[in-house]
Amino acid sequence: MTTRIVLVRHAQSVPPPFGVPDDDQRPLTPAGVEAARSLAERLVAYEPAAVLSSPQLRAVQTVTPAADALGLAVTTWPELREWESGLLPSADWEARYAHSWAHPGSAHGVGESLDALTSRAGKALARMAAEYPDVTVLVGSHGTFLTRALIAAGHRADWAFCRALPMPAVYEVVR
């Protein structure tokens, strides 16, 4: 039995304001909304049996046009949310993320380490395979989550790969 998991990084979202915790309700930009609509046909072609998403609005908004075209509901799973880094959005976020990638076992304050995120992503992939055997599942999520899910599935990826991911991006994993 194999499950094809189509991981979708959300389309362009409104940037988070610096110095405050990120907002789960941060939406797509108008260009992101259009990109999600344009992506729908490609995602529908995978013929998914289910559409899952991070509960964060930008991820839900990215897969909703495909779900609507398929007549499927978007089901949110908390474990598909973006990396809980413990870092506040800031102008130096790239340097701070690069440091975390160089030290994946370390965490910032009460944040989650990248190793913990990889474990969470791997468990989510395993849950999908168990709950949706022999079908395709469409998954709306986020760049760091998607990259760490690929790592959990045995693919090679690093900070440069994660940083270069377009918005939206689509990758497949077979479990």
Side-chain angles (χ1 to χ4, degrees):
M1 296 191 310
T2 60
T3 300
R4 179 169 60 169
I5 301 167
V6 180
L7 298 166
V8 181
R9 182 191 188 184
H10 63 80
Q12 183 184 61
S13 58
V14 171
F18 290 161
V20 295
D22 197 4
D23 179 3
D24 285 356
Q25 295 304 308
R26 190 161 48 88
L28 297 179
T29 63
V33 170
E34 183 53 40
R37 284 187 192 126
S38 296
L39 183 62
E41 185 177 337
R42 177 178 172 198
L43 298 179
V44 166
Y46 284 104
E47 300 178 351
V51 180
L52 307 176
S53 180
S54 156
Q56 292 167 299
L57 181 59
R58 58 199 183 271
V60 173
Q61 286 179 311
T62 300
V63 295
T64 293
D68 288 348
L70 292 159
L72 297 172
V74 177
T75 302
T76 59
W77 284 10
E79 60 265 43
L80 301 176
R81 61 186 298 110
E82 181 58 297
W83 176 37
E84 298 286 346
S85 69
L87 299 169
L88 292 177
S90 64
D92 67 342
W93 73 270
E94 287 183 276
R96 297 173 87 193
Y97 272 52
H99 181 269
S100 292
W101 278 83
H103 305 93
S106 66
H108 303 276
V110 297
E112 173 181 47
S113 72
L114 285 170
D115 284 346
L117 174 58
T118 304
S119 176
R120 173 165 56 94
K123 289 175 185 173
L125 296 175
R127 178 181 171 197
M128 287 174 217
E131 291 188 21
Y132 300 98
D134 295 323
V135 298
T136 297
V137 178
L138 180 62
V139 179
S141 196
H142 309 270
T144 308
F145 179 93
L146 186 151
T147 304
R148 299 311 286 201
L150 290 173
I151 291 168
H155 298 271
R156 297 193 60 171
D158 58 13
W159 169 237
F161 173 89
C162 184
R163 183 67 189 109
L165 279 176
M167 297 172 117
V170 179
Y171 288 87
E172 290 182 54
V173 170
V174 177
R175 296 293 288 198

